Amino acid sequence: MSDNPIMRILVADDSIEVQKYFEAILSTEYFEKTQKKLAENTSDNPHSLSLPDFQVDMVSQGEEALAKVKASLADNNPYALAFIDIHMPPGIDGIETIKNIWALDPTIQVVICTGFSDYTWEEAVRHLGKVESLMILKKPFDAFIIRQLAFTLTKKWELMRESQEYTENLEAGIIERTKKLQASLSIARGTLEASANGILVIDDQGMILDYNNKLIEMWDVTHLIAEKKSAHLLLEYISTQLENTEQFLRLINKLSSSAELIKVATWKTRDGRVFECYSQPYKLNEKVIGRIWSFQDITARAKLEEQLKHQATHDVLTGLPNRILLMDRIKSLINRGIRYGTTFGLIMIDLDNFKLVNDSLGHVVGDELLVASALRMQDSLREEDTCARLGGDEFVVVVSTTHSYDVGRVATKLLVDFAKPFRLLNHDVKVEVSLGISVFPVDGQEIDDLLNKADSAMYRAKSLGGNQFQYYTQEIGKLSLDKIEKEKELRQALLNDEFILVYQPQVEAQSEKIVAVEALIRWQHPRKGLILPLDFLHNAEEAGLIFPIGEWVLRTACQQNKLWQEAGFAPMRVAVNIANLQFQNPNLVQIVKATLNEVGLDPKYLELELSESVLSESHYLTDAMHELKELGVNIAVDHFGASYSTLNHQGDTSVGRLKIGRSFVQSINNNKGDEGIIQALITMANALNLPVVAEGVETKEQLDFLKLTNCNEIQGYYFSKPMSAEDLENELKKNS
């Protein structure tokens, strides 16, 4: 190959991997492999095939490509061919680069390298004009096609230059041109057969000039049809295998009457294959003398794209449409509603008990519940309705309707269907739903507005106890705004350290000495002043902020207790209230253990208070309570006696202390019945060897009664209001 001319090829692509790919397949080694392949597919002597050497230069930007072209012209060693990527950020794109290159050298052959959907041939022609020195190469690149293009287009460029020399030396030019044309015909035939595409070449009279075996194999063309040489007959035969036969026949007729037309289209066959069809006029001396058809089998690529599209628009777990497809669906219904005056509704759905199931039975069961819930929702809907998953346990149903009350009917059916328990891990699990409804156009004409209002209505249904649906109202909107503002302020309070702890002493009933303190949270609001927990903890629970706030209280109370011990005060318990949601956190034991280790506080000086309702409703928490007890942490049951149905739980050895609620204590000397209940509770606790703390003690009469009934410890305003850590230190000094 050393006697052959060296053809210069310029590759402009911002991908190093693509540059290396071009460099490899345009190397001499690859052409030697091609020569062997041509020898297998042609009867000609392979050594007579003239294969060129290529000098390939690589650049990453359009500006670099222009500089290379300028330099080559200055050295009188121009490029024959340029492969130009359509996108080369951050510089100029491929179209602008080609325009500037042709302004310098109109003879250079150009192949646009583009993605499957970046540019059509028509768009390229619109930008660059109808020129013969332009081809489009679609990604993913095929080595045979690139080598075919490289050889054919550099050969074309060489022939063009030799054509120019022909005018200067007629006799020598005719001889040289004859030799090269013969070689070109031989190689063209070889490259035609080497193509992965099915190729058909026809003349302007509709007769077949040439085709490759790939075309025959691809469309199972019989010899009888091929021998007739009728392009129309062959294309009609191909059309019978397509899903849209009539449309393909119309395309054939259109191209027959429009010789200059270039067309790229995708066709699907009846057996499920997908083909990209490319057709362009075949010219000689600027005159159309026929047409070339190219068929590429893109079935694998099309299936992959369809899978990727489905994955991008559907939830992986449930298979339901995801937010992307949901937004598209709602947008279409809004456009239809604006145009035709139709209406539709959105139902925001939240699984009321999902977190409880997820935390108690595990994430695998939680996922099974989500899948089962999705199937149940779909079974509840009409064919024209859409169910999508937003994420977590939130779903949205789009109800296509002409009447707003139809949305309520769908919501009612969902409630009825979800009343049936789910069978998960051999357990019957009942999961209720809270539903919020917004209706177009009454509640809004924007997607986000409708979703937000349905979400607000859903939270209203949840706050009213769940297992119901609520339509959006202006009142709900105001509540939602207030809720959003409170949640924002709570988040800011965490960041700005606006929470403080105060401590209320617990004293031994007989000696009246301080033996423990209860840590109580307060919010020092920068504008509203001191806010009690009753006015903000509910919002914290709804916003999910109860967990970081609870951890802050636990850590701060333990740190303060450790500081008191280091200051020389007698060791004592510090009691910390644990909210219901916190006890549902599967990581609670680990959080407590880590906090005690971090602070260095002995676990026996920490007491966690949980409400009696948690103990009665959350039997699955027994393991966590036992772990805490084994760790050495004290467990106290607050508001003991408020629920008689839970008395059987008090025998649980993990419980270490009982607290009688303020409502009972306040009835002393006023209600003999409640006094009897107090006596009974203390007697039962003593029988279980459980110390009793009475809270809310405000008078000496209440104290005397509790002493007579053998109550162990007292807490209340009679001894002290909640106070700061500094004030408590002063009390401890007096108490010592």
Side-chain angles (χ1 to χ4, degrees), residues 711-727:
C711 182
N712 304 94
E713 296 174 11
I714 307 297
Q715 178 181 347
Y717 279 19
Y718 180 76
F719 292 100
S720 174
K721 294 181 178 180
M723 62 184 73
S724 67
E726 293 79 8
D727 290 340

Side-chain angles (χ1 to χ4, degrees), residues 155-213:
K155 182 63 66 177
K156 176 185 175 184
W157 177 85
E158 184 180 28
L159 291 175
M160 289 173 61
R161 288 177 62 86
E162 291 171 355
S163 176
Q164 294 174 355
E165 296 174 2
Y166 169 78
T167 59
E168 300 172 358
N169 192 337
L170 181 59
E171 183 177 352
I174 292 174
I175 297 172
E176 187 67 22
R177 181 175 176 80
T178 300
K179 291 180 180 179
K180 291 187 181 298
L181 284 175
Q182 290 174 344
S184 295
L185 288 173
S186 177
I187 295 173
R189 183 64 203 170
T191 55
L192 189 68
E193 289 299 337
S195 174
N197 294 357
I199 307 296
L200 172 66
V201 184
I202 64 177
D203 64 16
D204 55 357
Q205 301 300 314
M207 299 303 294
I208 297 175
L209 293 177
D210 204 354
Y211 57 85
N212 62 358
N213 288 324

